[in-house]
Amino acid sequence: MPTPTRSLSQVTVCLLLLGVVGFAMSAQYAIGMPPLLKADEKQHAAYAIVLSQGVLPTIDTNTPADPMRYPQFAEALFGLDEPRRDIWVANHPPLFYVMSLPLVWLGDAVGDVGVTLLGMRLLNALGYALSIILIGLLARELVPRRRVVPVLAAATVLGCGAVTYDGGAIYNDGWGTVAASLTLLLGFRMVREGVTRDRLIWATVAGVAAASFRSTGLVAVLVLGACVLAALWLRDPTMRTFRRGVLLAVRIGLAPVVVIGWFYLRNIVLYGDPTASAALFEKFSRQTHGDTLFQLVNPQLYLHLYGSLWADDVIPKVWALAAAATLVVTVTGLVLDVNAKARPRPGGVMRRVVIPGPEPTLLQRRLELAVRVLMGIYCVIILVNVASFHAGGGWIHARYAVPFLPVIAVLTSLAILRLSRRWVSGVDEAVLDEAVLDEEGVDLRITLYASVGFIVSAMVAHLHIQQRIDGPADASWLVALIAADLVMFAVAAYVAAQLRRRLRSEGEPFARRSSVDQPRVARVSH
């Protein structure tokens, strides 16, 4: 469905602004946290250091601990048993660590590994910031006719305290999420807008990168192949088209096999499976938590995953209340939204929401449904993997909930847009055209209030978390921390002001359509 160019640019700008806030917050954590504070940071950094020496580590390779060259590692490893002194994250593909090699060389050049550690944290912070933007873009593919949903979805992700907190550590999750999200985004674009040579090439490249960051990227590649098949079949349901779609899907799947398949084969040879999960459980003598089916029907798994986005690791557990409140708002709002569509009222929160836009064709509706089904398939496969991992003895962290954020953020956004109509109402609806445009104006006002609210919530959580992480007590660190705090607050204030200017129902920036678009306006109900 055609989207007004000016509106598209404003959505993109708003997403970029929210991504900048996310980067500023994660960068402040990167500067403020003591070196190698968070779990697995030592191992992720050591992977890159050992790789820079020309060695691809295994899960039994020792972490560098020379107190003269790597004093931070020597201090962090003190008192740990032998298994925890190894680079157990070496089961991950090497792309993130290859990207980190210039940072390792820079640290070697200046004679301070602390430069490498900070650089790798900032690299991950950039990945998480881009993930916030891409989650917003995925939200646009899932709900294409509610123009504010991408912005509100990105703001929702920003409001999850664990997202920016994990973004300030040395993890490969940030860029793994970027590559997987980009793979899905390009696949969904092909479903909605058609398969082209350029889209196929870029989607395949993104899929290869996703598989080269983390093993979960292989799931994105699988869904990408399904996207191509669905995009072709839904437009031309013939056996010839089906065969062409299957052939293209196979080619997409073969690309990561050719580029990074050697690494997964190496894992199979060394550890017995592509992800080395069994070897790692044995290495750390992990106790099983039932089987995969038990975890899939265990409500605690879902509550733990959801709650970890707000209260994980050292984050004060009081923030679990924020998770509970968000869940209540989401469920309540979605129930009201379903009832309002089935039995709309003349006004109030249960009124029918009419958004301007061309009436979608039957094909467009099928394509939109296909995108949502494919997103659901992706989430189900990831969920089965997480349940299997937890059943085998693995621990649940907020990072494992990140793949579900596009769906969580979209559902929360739709719930907020419905529930907030109890307090945010339109102007006089005597004229139909005014009523139609007014409903979009209500969406804009709700998005502005909610987005600023999520930014404020994120800043409060940030300050609360900051009290739990004590950095080195020296003057240079204190100056850097204060500077990072000031920059973070300045960025947040600027972005809030920009959202206020751009998310308005009058004037050019977001609401008005060009004369070309006006004749195409129709009643699109939600």
Side-chain angles (χ1 to χ4, degrees):
M1 183 187 71
T3 304
T5 303
R6 296 183 66 85
S7 298
L8 174 63
S9 65
Q10 291 304 314
V11 170
T12 304
V13 169
C14 290
L15 293 179
L16 290 173
L17 289 170
L18 291 169
V20 169
V21 176
F23 178 77
M25 295 177 66
S26 293
Q28 198 281 337
Y29 281 129
I31 295 171
M33 283 193 297
L36 306 175
L37 172 70
K38 286 178 66 63
D40 301 353
E41 276 198 292
K42 299 180 290 295
Q43 287 67 36
H44 284 291
Y47 192 144
I49 291 173
V50 171
L51 190 63
S52 73
Q53 299 168 356
V55 177
L56 183 61
T58 70
I59 62 173
D60 297 315
T61 302
N62 288 333
T63 300
D66 183 349
M68 298 300 294
R69 189 175 181 183
Y70 306 111
Q72 294 91 336
F73 284 92
E75 181 180 353
L77 293 170
F78 180 78
L80 295 181
D81 57 19
E82 188 61 31
R84 287 172 175 77
R85 299 175 67 89
D86 296 336
I87 306 176
W88 66 74
V89 300
N91 63 318
H92 289 296
L95 183 54
F96 172 74
Y97 312 100
V98 171
M99 290 174 60
S100 302
L101 288 180
L103 301 171
V104 178
W105 296 329
L106 178 61
D108 290 341
V110 300
D112 185 1
V113 72
V115 173
T116 297
L117 301 181
L118 177 59
M120 291 185 71
R121 281 181 170 180
L122 293 176
L123 181 63
N124 184 50
L126 179 60
Y128 267 86
L130 293 174
S131 297
I132 292 174
I133 297 170
L134 285 167
I135 288 172
L137 294 175
L138 282 172
R140 181 163 58 191
E141 299 302 315
L142 294 171
V143 190
R145 291 192 296 277
R146 296 293 286 271
R147 295 189 297 159
V148 298
V149 166
V151 180
L152 190 48
T156 302
V157 175
L158 184 65
C160 300
V163 172
T164 51
Y165 178 51
D166 285 342
I170 301 175
Y171 291 136
N172 60 358
D173 298 80
W175 285 95
T177 302
V178 168
S181 298
L182 184 58
T183 302
L184 294 175
L185 178 64
L186 293 172
F188 295 161
R189 286 273 174 88
M190 284 191 282
V191 173
R192 293 186 57 238
E193 300 176 9
V195 177
T196 65
R197 182 174 179 273
D198 287 345
R199 287 173 184 157
L200 276 174
I201 292 174
W202 286 112
T204 303
V205 170
V208 169
S212 302
F213 278 118
R214 294 178 63 85
S215 59
T216 50
L218 294 171
V219 181
V221 175
L222 176 65
V223 174
L224 174 61
C227 286
V228 173
L229 180 58
L232 295 172
W233 173 260
L234 289 174
R235 288 177 171 83
D236 182 21
T238 63
M239 186 55 63
R240 179 175 177 274
T241 300
F242 180 79
R243 287 195 296 267
R244 177 171 176 250
V246 171
L247 179 60
L248 288 175
V250 169
R251 289 178 178 176
I252 290 171
L254 284 176
V257 172
V258 172
V259 176
I260 198 64
W262 62 269
F263 181 83
Y264 292 101
L265 180 61
R266 173 180 182 263
N267 277 358
I268 294 173
V269 172
L270 290 176
Y271 316 118
D273 67 83
T275 62
S277 297
L280 287 170
F281 291 149
E282 181 180 355
K283 181 181 180 71
F284 294 106
S285 302
R286 292 288 178 84
Q287 299 297 317
T288 59
H289 305 136
D291 57 18
T292 302
L293 181 59
F294 170 78
Q295 290 299 333
L296 287 173
V297 298
N298 182 11
Q300 291 185 350
L301 174 67
Y302 302 93
L303 293 175
H304 193 171
L305 275 171
Y306 188 85
S308 67
L309 292 168
W310 284 266
D312 189 41
D313 198 17
V314 302
I315 301 177
K317 298 308 177 186
V318 68
W319 285 96
L321 296 176
T326 306
L327 182 60
V328 169
V329 167
T330 301
V331 173
T332 304
L334 291 176
V335 170
L336 289 176
D337 196 52
V338 171
N339 287 333
K341 291 176 180 178
R343 295 184 296 274
R345 306 291 191 274
V349 70
M350 298 293 289
R351 69 181 182 269
R352 186 184 300 277
V353 177
V354 181
I355 301 296
E359 189 71 29
T361 64
L362 178 60
L363 175 60
Q364 287 174 331
R365 291 186 183 276
R366 288 178 175 175
L367 295 175
E368 291 171 13
L369 177 60
V371 167
R372 294 165 188 166
V373 169
L374 289 164
M375 186 75 225
I377 292 173
Y378 174 76
C379 289
V380 168
I381 297 175
I382 295 292
L383 182 61
V384 170
N385 287 337
V386 172
S388 177
F389 173 76
H390 188 49
W395 296 340
I396 298 298
H397 302 287
R399 290 171 285 146
Y400 301 147
V402 170
F404 309 108
L405 272 175
V407 174
I408 292 173
V410 164
L411 294 178
T412 301
S413 300
L414 293 175
I416 290 173
L417 289 174
R418 171 59 64 182
L419 198 58
S420 297
R421 277 174 160 73
R422 172 68 177 79
W423 300 277
V424 182
S425 59
V427 295
D428 183 13
E429 299 183 358
V431 181
L432 175 61
D433 289 343
E434 291 179 354
V436 170
L437 293 176
D438 178 66
E439 287 293 2
E440 191 167 46
V442 172
D443 272 5
L444 292 168
R445 289 195 292 277
I446 292 172
T447 301
L448 173 60
Y449 301 150
S451 297
V452 173
F454 279 125
I455 292 175
V456 171
S457 172
M459 301 302 289
V460 173
H462 186 97
L463 295 176
H464 201 178
I465 297 168
Q466 195 174 359
Q467 298 174 10
R468 299 289 189 96
I469 49 176
D470 297 324
D474 59 67
S476 60
W477 171 82
L478 186 60
V479 170
L481 181 62
I482 292 174
D485 275 333
L486 293 176
V487 170
M488 180 184 67
F489 285 117
V491 168
Y494 173 78
V495 169
Q498 284 294 308
L499 291 177
R500 183 177 181 274
R501 183 174 74 85
R502 295 174 186 280
L503 295 174
R504 63 181 189 228
S505 57
E506 297 178 356
E508 289 293 330
F510 208 105
R512 283 189 182 171
R513 301 169 183 270
S514 68
S515 58
V516 175
D517 298 312
Q518 289 294 344
R520 301 173 62 85
V521 171
R523 295 174 61 92
V524 180
S525 301
H526 293 270

